[in-house]
mmCIF file of all heavy atoms in Angstrom:
data_model
loop_
_atom_site.group_PDB
_atom_site.id
_atom_site.type_symbol
_atom_site.label_atom_id
_atom_site.label_comp_id
_atom_site.label_asym_id
_atom_site.label_seq_id
_atom_site.Cartn_x
_atom_site.Cartn_y
_atom_site.Cartn_z
ATOM 1 N N GLY A 1 -42.275 2.103 17.614
ATOM 2 C CA GLY A 1 -42.746 0.782 18.008
ATOM 3 C C GLY A 1 -42.388 0.474 19.450
ATOM 4 O O GLY A 1 -41.846 1.314 20.168
ATOM 5 N N VAL A 2 -42.691 -0.747 19.852
ATOM 6 C CA VAL A 2 -42.453 -1.184 21.227
ATOM 7 C C VAL A 2 -41.788 -2.549 21.246
ATOM 8 O O VAL A 2 -41.834 -3.300 20.279
ATOM 9 C CB VAL A 2 -43.766 -1.236 22.052
ATOM 10 C CG1 VAL A 2 -44.379 0.138 22.193
ATOM 11 C CG2 VAL A 2 -44.749 -2.203 21.445
ATOM 12 N N ILE A 3 -41.191 -2.858 22.362
ATOM 13 C CA ILE A 3 -40.606 -4.175 22.596
ATOM 14 C C ILE A 3 -41.730 -5.098 23.043
ATOM 15 O O ILE A 3 -42.393 -4.818 24.047
ATOM 16 C CB ILE A 3 -39.510 -4.099 23.675
ATOM 17 C CG1 ILE A 3 -38.372 -3.191 23.214
ATOM 18 C CG2 ILE A 3 -39.009 -5.493 24.020
ATOM 19 C CD1 ILE A 3 -37.355 -2.854 24.302
ATOM 20 N N PRO A 4 -41.970 -6.187 22.312
ATOM 21 C CA PRO A 4 -43.039 -7.111 22.708
ATOM 22 C C PRO A 4 -42.833 -7.605 24.147
ATOM 23 O O PRO A 4 -41.735 -8.010 24.521
ATOM 24 C CB PRO A 4 -42.911 -8.263 21.716
ATOM 25 C CG PRO A 4 -42.185 -7.691 20.553
ATOM 26 C CD PRO A 4 -41.267 -6.643 21.115
ATOM 27 N N GLY A 5 -43.887 -7.520 24.938
ATOM 28 C CA GLY A 5 -43.840 -8.011 26.313
ATOM 29 C C GLY A 5 -43.359 -6.999 27.333
ATOM 30 O O GLY A 5 -43.461 -7.239 28.530
ATOM 31 N N ALA A 6 -42.820 -5.877 26.883
ATOM 32 C CA ALA A 6 -42.353 -4.860 27.832
ATOM 33 C C ALA A 6 -43.548 -4.151 28.463
ATOM 34 O O ALA A 6 -44.557 -3.912 27.806
ATOM 35 C CB ALA A 6 -41.456 -3.840 27.132
ATOM 36 N N LEU A 7 -43.421 -3.818 29.729
ATOM 37 C CA LEU A 7 -44.433 -3.004 30.386
ATOM 38 C C LEU A 7 -44.252 -1.566 29.928
ATOM 39 O O LEU A 7 -43.121 -1.084 29.819
ATOM 40 C CB LEU A 7 -44.263 -3.045 31.904
ATOM 41 C CG LEU A 7 -44.643 -4.318 32.628
ATOM 42 C CD1 LEU A 7 -44.369 -4.162 34.125
ATOM 43 C CD2 LEU A 7 -46.104 -4.633 32.408
ATOM 44 N N LEU A 8 -45.335 -0.891 29.673
ATOM 45 C CA LEU A 8 -45.292 0.513 29.284
ATOM 46 C C LEU A 8 -45.697 1.343 30.496
ATOM 47 O O LEU A 8 -46.847 1.285 30.944
ATOM 48 C CB LEU A 8 -46.237 0.776 28.114
ATOM 49 C CG LEU A 8 -46.026 -0.100 26.880
ATOM 50 C CD1 LEU A 8 -47.061 0.217 25.810
ATOM 51 C CD2 LEU A 8 -44.614 0.057 26.344
ATOM 52 N N VAL A 9 -44.734 2.068 31.034
ATOM 53 C CA VAL A 9 -44.968 2.881 32.229
ATOM 54 C C VAL A 9 -44.348 4.250 31.979
ATOM 55 O O VAL A 9 -43.138 4.351 31.787
ATOM 56 C CB VAL A 9 -44.326 2.240 33.485
ATOM 57 C CG1 VAL A 9 -44.567 3.113 34.708
ATOM 58 C CG2 VAL A 9 -44.842 0.830 33.717
ATOM 59 N N GLU A 10 -45.159 5.279 31.968
ATOM 60 C CA GLU A 10 -44.634 6.625 31.793
ATOM 61 C C GLU A 10 -43.631 6.922 32.906
ATOM 62 O O GLU A 10 -43.803 6.487 34.047
ATOM 63 C CB GLU A 10 -45.778 7.643 31.828
ATOM 64 C CG GLU A 10 -46.786 7.491 30.704
ATOM 65 C CD GLU A 10 -46.283 7.980 29.359
ATOM 66 O OE1 GLU A 10 -45.382 8.851 29.323
ATOM 67 O OE2 GLU A 10 -46.796 7.489 28.336
ATOM 68 N N ARG A 11 -42.610 7.667 32.572
ATOM 69 C CA ARG A 11 -41.532 7.953 33.533
ATOM 70 C C ARG A 11 -42.062 8.563 34.828
ATOM 71 O O ARG A 11 -41.608 8.213 35.914
ATOM 72 C CB ARG A 11 -40.483 8.877 32.889
ATOM 73 C CG ARG A 11 -39.420 9.390 33.863
ATOM 74 C CD ARG A 11 -38.614 8.235 34.449
ATOM 75 N NE ARG A 11 -37.738 8.649 35.520
ATOM 76 C CZ ARG A 11 -38.015 8.494 36.825
ATOM 77 N NH1 ARG A 11 -39.164 7.970 37.229
ATOM 78 N NH2 ARG A 11 -37.134 8.871 37.730
ATOM 79 N N ASN A 12 -43.026 9.455 34.728
ATOM 80 C CA ASN A 12 -43.531 10.119 35.931
ATOM 81 C C ASN A 12 -44.359 9.198 36.830
ATOM 82 O O ASN A 12 -44.723 9.580 37.935
ATOM 83 C CB ASN A 12 -44.329 11.378 35.576
ATOM 84 C CG ASN A 12 -45.569 11.081 34.771
ATOM 85 O OD1 ASN A 12 -45.609 10.105 34.021
ATOM 86 N ND2 ASN A 12 -46.570 11.915 34.906
ATOM 87 N N GLU A 13 -44.636 7.978 36.389
ATOM 88 C CA GLU A 13 -45.385 7.014 37.205
ATOM 89 C C GLU A 13 -44.531 5.831 37.650
ATOM 90 O O GLU A 13 -45.000 4.971 38.394
ATOM 91 C CB GLU A 13 -46.572 6.461 36.403
ATOM 92 C CG GLU A 13 -47.605 7.484 36.043
ATOM 93 C CD GLU A 13 -48.756 6.891 35.270
ATOM 94 O OE1 GLU A 13 -48.759 5.674 34.996
ATOM 95 O OE2 GLU A 13 -49.673 7.650 34.927
ATOM 96 N N LEU A 14 -43.295 5.775 37.216
ATOM 97 C CA LEU A 14 -42.457 4.590 37.397
ATOM 98 C C LEU A 14 -42.363 4.129 38.845
ATOM 99 O O LEU A 14 -42.628 2.964 39.147
ATOM 100 C CB LEU A 14 -41.055 4.853 36.836
ATOM 101 C CG LEU A 14 -40.103 3.657 36.887
ATOM 102 C CD1 LEU A 14 -40.561 2.581 35.906
ATOM 103 C CD2 LEU A 14 -38.687 4.115 36.560
ATOM 104 N N GLU A 15 -41.986 5.011 39.734
ATOM 105 C CA GLU A 15 -41.791 4.609 41.127
ATOM 106 C C GLU A 15 -43.093 4.124 41.754
ATOM 107 O O GLU A 15 -43.100 3.144 42.504
ATOM 108 C CB GLU A 15 -41.202 5.771 41.944
ATOM 109 C CG GLU A 15 -39.766 6.106 41.569
ATOM 110 C CD GLU A 15 -39.621 6.994 40.335
ATOM 111 O OE1 GLU A 15 -40.650 7.342 39.708
ATOM 112 O OE2 GLU A 15 -38.487 7.342 39.990
ATOM 113 N N TRP A 16 -44.196 4.781 41.446
ATOM 114 C CA TRP A 16 -45.493 4.371 42.006
ATOM 115 C C TRP A 16 -45.909 3.004 41.480
ATOM 116 O O TRP A 16 -46.500 2.221 42.202
ATOM 117 C CB TRP A 16 -46.566 5.410 41.681
ATOM 118 C CG TRP A 16 -46.440 6.606 42.559
ATOM 119 C CD1 TRP A 16 -47.066 6.802 43.758
ATOM 120 C CD2 TRP A 16 -45.624 7.747 42.343
ATOM 121 N NE1 TRP A 16 -46.683 8.004 44.292
ATOM 122 C CE2 TRP A 16 -45.795 8.605 43.440
ATOM 123 C CE3 TRP A 16 -44.759 8.123 41.319
ATOM 124 C CZ2 TRP A 16 -45.139 9.818 43.555
ATOM 125 C CZ3 TRP A 16 -44.102 9.336 41.425
ATOM 126 C CH2 TRP A 16 -44.296 10.161 42.527
ATOM 127 N N ARG A 17 -45.614 2.714 40.252
ATOM 128 C CA ARG A 17 -46.033 1.448 39.642
ATOM 129 C C ARG A 17 -45.137 0.264 40.003
ATOM 130 O O ARG A 17 -45.585 -0.877 39.980
ATOM 131 C CB ARG A 17 -46.081 1.585 38.121
ATOM 132 C CG ARG A 17 -47.047 2.636 37.640
ATOM 133 C CD ARG A 17 -48.458 2.266 37.986
ATOM 134 N NE ARG A 17 -49.385 3.241 37.441
ATOM 135 C CZ ARG A 17 -50.439 3.696 38.085
ATOM 136 N NH1 ARG A 17 -50.713 3.282 39.296
ATOM 137 N NH2 ARG A 17 -51.231 4.565 37.518
ATOM 138 N N LEU A 18 -43.867 0.534 40.341
ATOM 139 C CA LEU A 18 -42.943 -0.575 40.590
ATOM 140 C C LEU A 18 -42.579 -0.772 42.049
ATOM 141 O O LEU A 18 -41.915 -1.756 42.385
ATOM 142 C CB LEU A 18 -41.675 -0.401 39.756
ATOM 143 C CG LEU A 18 -41.898 -0.544 38.254
ATOM 144 C CD1 LEU A 18 -40.581 -0.438 37.507
ATOM 145 C CD2 LEU A 18 -42.591 -1.846 37.898
ATOM 146 N N ASP A 19 -42.995 0.114 42.942
ATOM 147 C CA ASP A 19 -42.721 -0.074 44.363
ATOM 148 C C ASP A 19 -43.573 -1.242 44.870
ATOM 149 O O ASP A 19 -44.804 -1.149 44.898
ATOM 150 C CB ASP A 19 -43.051 1.197 45.133
ATOM 151 C CG ASP A 19 -42.803 1.064 46.630
ATOM 152 O OD1 ASP A 19 -42.353 -0.012 47.097
ATOM 153 O OD2 ASP A 19 -43.051 2.046 47.356
ATOM 154 N N PRO A 20 -42.935 -2.341 45.258
ATOM 155 C CA PRO A 20 -43.706 -3.514 45.707
ATOM 156 C C PRO A 20 -44.603 -3.236 46.904
ATOM 157 O O PRO A 20 -45.574 -3.953 47.132
ATOM 158 C CB PRO A 20 -42.633 -4.538 46.087
ATOM 159 C CG PRO A 20 -41.395 -4.079 45.429
ATOM 160 C CD PRO A 20 -41.503 -2.590 45.287
ATOM 161 N N ARG A 21 -44.310 -2.196 47.669
ATOM 162 C CA ARG A 21 -45.119 -1.857 48.840
ATOM 163 C C ARG A 21 -46.106 -0.749 48.566
ATOM 164 O O ARG A 21 -46.881 -0.365 49.445
ATOM 165 C CB ARG A 21 -44.201 -1.441 49.994
ATOM 166 C CG ARG A 21 -43.267 -2.552 50.407
ATOM 167 C CD ARG A 21 -42.392 -2.227 51.568
ATOM 168 N NE ARG A 21 -42.145 -0.795 51.736
ATOM 169 C CZ ARG A 21 -41.282 -0.287 52.579
ATOM 170 N NH1 ARG A 21 -40.580 -1.071 53.340
ATOM 171 N NH2 ARG A 21 -41.103 1.018 52.677
ATOM 172 N N GLY A 22 -46.121 -0.231 47.332
ATOM 173 C CA GLY A 22 -46.967 0.903 47.005
ATOM 174 C C GLY A 22 -48.416 0.520 46.732
ATOM 175 O O GLY A 22 -48.704 -0.575 46.243
ATOM 176 N N SER A 23 -49.308 1.423 47.019
ATOM 177 C CA SER A 23 -50.733 1.171 46.798
ATOM 178 C C SER A 23 -51.116 1.252 45.326
ATOM 179 O O SER A 23 -52.195 0.803 44.953
ATOM 180 C CB SER A 23 -51.567 2.165 47.612
ATOM 181 O OG SER A 23 -51.248 3.493 47.225
ATOM 182 N N HIS A 24 -50.264 1.800 44.477
ATOM 183 C CA HIS A 24 -50.548 1.939 43.051
ATOM 184 C C HIS A 24 -49.666 1.035 42.190
ATOM 185 O O HIS A 24 -49.512 1.259 40.999
ATOM 186 C CB HIS A 24 -50.368 3.400 42.614
ATOM 187 C CG HIS A 24 -51.364 4.311 43.233
ATOM 188 N ND1 HIS A 24 -51.224 4.837 44.503
ATOM 189 C CD2 HIS A 24 -52.541 4.777 42.766
ATOM 190 C CE1 HIS A 24 -52.256 5.593 44.779
ATOM 191 N NE2 HIS A 24 -53.083 5.578 43.752
ATOM 192 N N ARG A 25 -49.103 0.020 42.791
ATOM 193 C CA ARG A 25 -48.161 -0.843 42.076
ATOM 194 C C ARG A 25 -48.860 -1.713 41.045
ATOM 195 O O ARG A 25 -50.045 -2.025 41.164
ATOM 196 C CB ARG A 25 -47.398 -1.724 43.048
ATOM 197 C CG ARG A 25 -48.224 -2.821 43.667
ATOM 198 C CD ARG A 25 -47.362 -3.706 44.571
ATOM 199 N NE ARG A 25 -48.170 -4.675 45.269
ATOM 200 C CZ ARG A 25 -48.562 -5.829 44.751
ATOM 201 N NH1 ARG A 25 -48.229 -6.153 43.534
ATOM 202 N NH2 ARG A 25 -49.300 -6.664 45.446
ATOM 203 N N LEU A 26 -48.083 -2.086 40.036
ATOM 204 C CA LEU A 26 -48.554 -3.037 39.030
ATOM 205 C C LEU A 26 -48.455 -4.453 39.584
ATOM 206 O O LEU A 26 -47.629 -4.720 40.462
ATOM 207 C CB LEU A 26 -47.687 -2.929 37.772
ATOM 208 C CG LEU A 26 -47.802 -1.628 36.992
ATOM 209 C CD1 LEU A 26 -46.719 -1.551 35.926
ATOM 210 C CD2 LEU A 26 -49.175 -1.526 36.351
ATOM 211 N N PRO A 27 -49.247 -5.385 39.074
ATOM 212 C CA PRO A 27 -49.175 -6.763 39.552
ATOM 213 C C PRO A 27 -47.783 -7.379 39.378
ATOM 214 O O PRO A 27 -47.387 -8.256 40.146
ATOM 215 C CB PRO A 27 -50.196 -7.505 38.684
ATOM 216 C CG PRO A 27 -51.106 -6.461 38.161
ATOM 217 C CD PRO A 27 -50.314 -5.186 38.095
ATOM 218 N N GLU A 28 -47.022 -6.899 38.404
ATOM 219 C CA GLU A 28 -45.683 -7.433 38.153
ATOM 220 C C GLU A 28 -44.668 -6.990 39.207
ATOM 221 O O GLU A 28 -43.585 -7.571 39.316
ATOM 222 C CB GLU A 28 -45.186 -6.993 36.763
ATOM 223 C CG GLU A 28 -45.976 -7.579 35.624
ATOM 224 C CD GLU A 28 -47.248 -6.814 35.270
ATOM 225 O OE1 GLU A 28 -47.600 -5.840 35.965
ATOM 226 O OE2 GLU A 28 -47.893 -7.198 34.282
ATOM 227 N N ALA A 29 -45.007 -5.995 39.990
ATOM 228 C CA ALA A 29 -44.114 -5.491 41.040
ATOM 229 C C ALA A 29 -44.286 -6.357 42.282
ATOM 230 O O ALA A 29 -44.890 -5.962 43.273
ATOM 231 C CB ALA A 29 -44.408 -4.026 41.346
ATOM 232 N N THR A 30 -43.752 -7.561 42.221
ATOM 233 C CA THR A 30 -44.000 -8.572 43.241
ATOM 234 C C THR A 30 -43.033 -8.551 44.412
ATOM 235 O O THR A 30 -43.282 -9.182 45.423
ATOM 236 C CB THR A 30 -43.967 -9.972 42.614
ATOM 237 O OG1 THR A 30 -42.694 -10.163 41.983
ATOM 238 C CG2 THR A 30 -45.090 -10.133 41.598
ATOM 239 N N GLY A 31 -41.908 -7.876 44.262
ATOM 240 C CA GLY A 31 -40.936 -7.845 45.354
ATOM 241 C C GLY A 31 -39.704 -7.051 44.969
ATOM 242 O O GLY A 31 -39.524 -6.658 43.824
ATOM 243 N N HIS A 32 -38.850 -6.862 45.957
ATOM 244 C CA HIS A 32 -37.643 -6.072 45.746
ATOM 245 C C HIS A 32 -36.554 -6.837 44.993
ATOM 246 O O HIS A 32 -35.551 -6.239 44.599
ATOM 247 C CB HIS A 32 -37.122 -5.563 47.092
ATOM 248 C CG HIS A 32 -38.010 -4.524 47.681
ATOM 249 N ND1 HIS A 32 -39.024 -4.823 48.556
ATOM 250 C CD2 HIS A 32 -38.062 -3.182 47.489
ATOM 251 C CE1 HIS A 32 -39.651 -3.711 48.902
ATOM 252 N NE2 HIS A 32 -39.095 -2.700 48.266
ATOM 253 N N ASP A 33 -36.735 -8.133 44.789
ATOM 254 C CA ASP A 33 -35.730 -8.931 44.087
ATOM 255 C C ASP A 33 -35.972 -9.038 42.586
ATOM 256 O O ASP A 33 -35.174 -9.650 41.874
ATOM 257 C CB ASP A 33 -35.667 -10.344 44.674
ATOM 258 C CG ASP A 33 -35.065 -10.347 46.068
ATOM 259 O OD1 ASP A 33 -34.245 -9.449 46.358
ATOM 260 O OD2 ASP A 33 -35.408 -11.232 46.855
ATOM 261 N N VAL A 34 -37.036 -8.453 42.078
ATOM 262 C CA VAL A 34 -37.332 -8.500 40.645
ATOM 263 C C VAL A 34 -36.238 -7.737 39.898
ATOM 264 O O VAL A 34 -35.863 -6.635 40.288
ATOM 265 C CB VAL A 34 -38.710 -7.869 40.349
ATOM 266 C CG1 VAL A 34 -38.958 -7.754 38.860
ATOM 267 C CG2 VAL A 34 -39.813 -8.671 41.025
ATOM 268 N N GLN A 35 -35.725 -8.352 38.830
ATOM 269 C CA GLN A 35 -34.779 -7.620 37.994
ATOM 270 C C GLN A 35 -35.576 -6.787 37.005
ATOM 271 O O GLN A 35 -36.211 -7.308 36.096
ATOM 272 C CB GLN A 35 -33.821 -8.523 37.233
ATOM 273 C CG GLN A 35 -32.826 -7.682 36.435
ATOM 274 C CD GLN A 35 -31.835 -8.472 35.629
ATOM 275 O OE1 GLN A 35 -32.071 -9.608 35.275
ATOM 276 N NE2 GLN A 35 -30.717 -7.842 35.323
ATOM 277 N N VAL A 36 -35.530 -5.486 37.205
ATOM 278 C CA VAL A 36 -36.206 -4.532 36.336
ATOM 279 C C VAL A 36 -35.166 -3.937 35.405
ATOM 280 O O VAL A 36 -34.109 -3.491 35.857
ATOM 281 C CB VAL A 36 -36.871 -3.409 37.157
ATOM 282 C CG1 VAL A 36 -37.451 -2.339 36.241
ATOM 283 C CG2 VAL A 36 -37.938 -3.973 38.079
ATOM 284 N N VAL A 37 -35.462 -3.959 34.095
ATOM 285 C CA VAL A 37 -34.596 -3.324 33.106
ATOM 286 C C VAL A 37 -35.368 -2.148 32.530
ATOM 287 O O VAL A 37 -36.347 -2.334 31.813
ATOM 288 C CB VAL A 37 -34.188 -4.300 31.980
ATOM 289 C CG1 VAL A 37 -33.318 -3.588 30.952
ATOM 290 C CG2 VAL A 37 -33.490 -5.531 32.550
ATOM 291 N N VAL A 38 -34.935 -0.944 32.877
ATOM 292 C CA VAL A 38 -35.613 0.265 32.421
ATOM 293 C C VAL A 38 -35.100 0.620 31.025
ATOM 294 O O VAL A 38 -33.895 0.622 30.773
ATOM 295 C CB VAL A 38 -35.382 1.443 33.393
ATOM 296 C CG1 VAL A 38 -36.158 2.672 32.945
ATOM 297 C CG2 VAL A 38 -35.772 1.045 34.817
ATOM 298 N N VAL A 39 -36.046 0.919 30.131
ATOM 299 C CA VAL A 39 -35.722 1.244 28.743
ATOM 300 C C VAL A 39 -36.253 2.640 28.430
ATOM 301 O O VAL A 39 -37.446 2.896 28.567
ATOM 302 C CB VAL A 39 -36.373 0.226 27.771
ATOM 303 C CG1 VAL A 39 -36.048 0.579 26.331
ATOM 304 C CG2 VAL A 39 -35.963 -1.196 28.114
ATOM 305 N N CYS A 40 -35.352 3.526 28.018
ATOM 306 C CA CYS A 40 -35.767 4.821 27.492
ATOM 307 C C CYS A 40 -35.366 4.847 26.018
ATOM 308 O O CYS A 40 -35.100 3.803 25.433
ATOM 309 C CB CYS A 40 -35.161 5.978 28.292
ATOM 310 S SG CYS A 40 -33.387 6.185 28.091
ATOM 311 N N ASN A 41 -35.312 5.990 25.416
ATOM 312 C CA ASN A 41 -35.020 6.043 23.992
ATOM 313 C C ASN A 41 -33.557 5.746 23.672
ATOM 314 O O ASN A 41 -33.271 4.957 22.780
ATOM 315 C CB ASN A 41 -35.426 7.394 23.399
ATOM 316 C CG ASN A 41 -35.486 7.348 21.896
ATOM 317 O OD1 ASN A 41 -36.067 6.435 21.321
ATOM 318 N ND2 ASN A 41 -34.878 8.320 21.246
ATOM 319 N N GLU A 42 -32.628 6.363 24.419
ATOM 320 C CA GLU A 42 -31.212 6.199 24.100
ATOM 321 C C GLU A 42 -30.342 5.801 25.288
ATOM 322 O O GLU A 42 -29.127 5.732 25.160
ATOM 323 C CB GLU A 42 -30.664 7.486 23.473
ATOM 324 C CG GLU A 42 -31.296 7.786 22.131
ATOM 325 C CD GLU A 42 -30.730 9.040 21.489
ATOM 326 O OE1 GLU A 42 -30.173 9.902 22.196
ATOM 327 O OE2 GLU A 42 -30.851 9.147 20.257
ATOM 328 N N GLY A 43 -30.935 5.558 26.447
ATOM 329 C CA GLY A 43 -30.163 5.071 27.587
ATOM 330 C C GLY A 43 -29.660 6.135 28.537
ATOM 331 O O GLY A 43 -28.701 5.894 29.275
ATOM 332 N N TYR A 44 -30.275 7.293 28.563
ATOM 333 C CA TYR A 44 -29.874 8.343 29.498
ATOM 334 C C TYR A 44 -30.881 8.466 30.638
ATOM 335 O O TYR A 44 -30.541 8.274 31.799
ATOM 336 C CB TYR A 44 -29.710 9.686 28.772
ATOM 337 C CG TYR A 44 -28.596 9.659 27.761
ATOM 338 C CD1 TYR A 44 -28.864 9.494 26.409
ATOM 339 C CD2 TYR A 44 -27.276 9.770 28.153
ATOM 340 C CE1 TYR A 44 -27.840 9.451 25.475
ATOM 341 C CE2 TYR A 44 -26.235 9.726 27.226
ATOM 342 C CZ TYR A 44 -26.532 9.568 25.895
ATOM 343 O OH TYR A 44 -25.521 9.521 24.982
ATOM 344 N N ALA A 45 -32.128 8.771 30.303
ATOM 345 C CA ALA A 45 -33.167 8.915 31.336
ATOM 346 C C ALA A 45 -33.344 7.615 32.109
ATOM 347 O O ALA A 45 -33.640 7.624 33.306
ATOM 348 C CB ALA A 45 -34.491 9.341 30.707
ATOM 349 N N SER A 46 -33.126 6.491 31.444
ATOM 350 C CA SER A 46 -33.288 5.194 32.108
ATOM 351 C C SER A 46 -32.257 4.998 33.215
ATOM 352 O O SER A 46 -32.535 4.321 34.212
ATOM 353 C CB SER A 46 -33.204 4.059 31.092
ATOM 354 O OG SER A 46 -31.970 4.108 30.389
ATOM 355 N N SER A 47 -31.074 5.567 33.061
ATOM 356 C CA SER A 47 -30.057 5.453 34.115
ATOM 357 C C SER A 47 -30.525 6.145 35.389
ATOM 358 O O SER A 47 -30.401 5.601 36.495
ATOM 359 C CB SER A 47 -28.730 6.055 33.653
ATOM 360 O OG SER A 47 -28.187 5.338 32.574
ATOM 361 N N LEU A 48 -31.065 7.335 35.243
ATOM 362 C CA LEU A 48 -31.571 8.057 36.404
ATOM 363 C C LEU A 48 -32.781 7.351 37.003
ATOM 364 O O LEU A 48 -32.952 7.299 38.228
ATOM 365 C CB LEU A 48 -31.922 9.490 36.018
ATOM 366 C CG LEU A 48 -30.749 10.330 35.483
ATOM 367 C CD1 LEU A 48 -31.251 11.706 35.058
ATOM 368 C CD2 LEU A 48 -29.626 10.435 36.485
#
């Protein structure tokens, strides 16, 4: 399942989708001050 309201972004696209200055960013990537909480399965890949 998924967390309601969470953005679903494959790990290999994360930086492109969340860089506020990137040409492939998501609309939610509005600036460098956004608190982003990365969620992986058990909390390892999300740290990196």
Side-chain angles (χ1 to χ4, degrees):
V2 296
I3 298 170
L7 288 179
L8 305 178
V9 179
E10 297 285 335
R11 172 62 189 100
N12 63 331
E13 296 181 359
L14 184 69
E15 291 82 358
W16 283 269
R17 300 295 184 221
L18 292 183
D19 179 1
R21 299 183 335 189
S23 59
H24 294 83
R25 72 177 174 83
L26 293 170
E28 294 84 355
T30 58
H32 290 92
D33 290 332
V34 173
Q35 183 181 24
V36 174
V37 178
V38 183
V39 179
C40 70
N41 195 48
E42 295 182 338
Y44 296 100
S46 57
S47 295
L48 299 177

